Amino acid sequence: MQMQYWVYISEKESNGMTIGFSENIGALLGSLPVQQAYVVYLRPFDVAFDALAHKHLLDSLSKATCRNIIRQNREQTKRYQGLLSARTGG
């Protein structure tokens, strides 16, 4: 089984936007409700370097541009979340 790397953007009302990288997206998604945060962008990569480069790109963008990327990828993010929920039984 090939390792999957994930870049995500989560939002928390009091803290704003967080851009992150994870090798264990199931654990991350499980911990977000406890933190009162939710994923608004999710993208998988097969190569860790590619995922980290994408995270670095997102980190360098303005919040307005990140919000535009979130809007453009909303349906794809929902699909990934659905696949992950089905895989983990959540």
Side-chain angles (χ1 to χ4, degrees):
M1 179 179 198
Q2 185 167 346
M3 183 69 150
Q4 194 100 53
Y5 305 93
W6 295 86
V7 174
Y8 64 91
I9 300 174
S10 65
E11 285 191 318
K12 188 174 180 178
E13 285 184 34
S14 62
N15 238 4
M17 205 182 295
T18 300
I19 300 168
F21 165 86
S22 180
E23 294 178 28
N24 186 349
I25 198 67
L28 171 77
L29 293 176
S31 71
L32 287 175
V34 173
Q35 301 170 27
Q36 298 178 338
Y38 50 97
V39 172
V40 293
Y41 175 83
L42 193 57
R43 183 167 172 192
F45 292 85
D46 293 329
V47 178
F49 180 84
D50 294 343
L52 290 169
H54 186 67
K55 180 194 177 302
H56 181 69
L57 170 70
L58 292 175
D59 284 334
S60 71
L61 298 174
S62 70
K63 284 190 187 229
T65 301
C66 283
R67 293 207 186 286
N68 190 32
I69 289 170
I70 291 166
R71 270 192 303 280
Q72 290 175 351
N73 291 280
R74 186 172 287 136
E75 291 305 314
Q76 190 67 37
T77 294
K78 286 180 186 176
R79 250 180 264 131
Y80 290 137
Q81 288 173 321
L83 289 171
L84 290 167
S85 290
R87 193 182 327 163
T88 61

